[in-house]
Amino acid sequence: WLQNCSNVQVFGVTDRNTTAGDTAVIEGSSVGCSITGVTAYNCGGHCASISSGSGTTGAAPVNCHITDVYSESQGECIAAITAQTSTNKPTNCTITNAKGKNCGRVTPSEGFALVNTTNCKIQGSIYDTNGNMTHAVAERGAGPTLNTFEIESWVQGSSGFFSMTSRWPSAHSVI
C-alpha cells in the first residue's frame, strides 16, 4: 500500500485467500509511483487500485501506474482507478496488462472501473464465466474526462457490458 509517496517503485505483490481489503494500492497524494506484478486469488477487495482514498481532501494520485496484473475470483474489481469524491480526481494514471476472471463476489462490482478520473487508462482482458459482475467495464462519477478502456478480449456473463457516464470524445473504448 503506497500512500502519499513520491517516485516509489514496488515489484511483485501476491495475495491469496484474504477476505477483505485491496491487494495492491497507490493512494492519496502519490506522484510518479508504480507497482509491477500483482497476483491475487480469491481475495476480498480490488486486485489493483489507484485511488484518492477516503479522507484525503485535495490529494489524488498523479502519474501513477500499475502493470502486469492477474486476478482470479476477486471480490471486487480486477482493476480500478477511483476517487472517493468528485474533487480529488486521479490524473494521468494507468493500469495496464490487467487480466482476470470471475471477480464480483461483492455487489456491485466491475471487471474494470474508472470513477471520477481524468486522462486515465485501463488496458487488459476480462473473463466472466460466472456472471457475477454488475458490469464488465464501468465509468462513473462526476465529469470523468479523457479516459480510455482498451479491452483485448472477454467472456461476457455479466448483467451489463459497458456502463459509461460520458461519451466520445471525453470517454471511449478501444475494442
Side-chain angles (χ1 to χ4, degrees), residues 14-175:
T14 302
D15 198 7
R16 267 184 203 277
N17 300 318
T18 54
T19 57
D22 300 342
T23 298
V25 179
I26 301 173
E27 187 177 71
S29 60
S30 297
V31 177
C33 295
S34 67
I35 300 174
T36 302
V38 180
T39 306
Y41 296 94
N42 197 34
C43 298
H46 300 308
C47 178
S49 174
I50 300 174
S51 174
S52 66
S54 18
T56 55
T57 303
V62 177
N63 295 326
C64 291
H65 309 282
I66 301 177
T67 189
D68 299 337
V69 174
Y70 180 77
S71 175
E72 196 169 312
S73 298
Q74 196 74 10
E76 296 182 271
C77 298
I78 297 164
I81 304 175
T82 66
Q84 301 297 325
T85 69
S86 60
T87 55
N88 308 344
K89 296 182 178 183
T91 304
N92 301 330
C93 295
T94 63
I95 300 177
T96 54
N97 194 27
K99 300 179 181 186
K101 65 181 181 178
N102 297 335
C103 71
R105 291 179 293 113
V106 175
T107 302
S109 186
E110 304 84 23
F112 296 160
L114 293 169
V115 182
N116 294 328
T117 56
T118 300
N119 199 33
C120 292
K121 178 174 79 171
I122 298 179
Q123 176 268 327
S125 304
I126 302 167
Y127 297 89
D128 179 29
T129 57
N130 290 343
N132 292 334
M133 287 186 276
T134 308
H135 296 284
V137 174
E139 180 192 48
R140 297 189 311 277
T145 54
L146 300 172
N147 296 310
T148 306
F149 292 104
E150 294 180 359
I151 313 302
E152 295 170 355
S153 59
W154 60 80
V155 173
Q156 180 185 3
S158 301
S159 60
F161 201 75
F162 289 97
S163 172
M164 305 290 279
T165 57
S166 54
R167 296 288 180 248
W168 185 270
S170 62
H172 63 282
S173 60
V174 178
I175 299 174

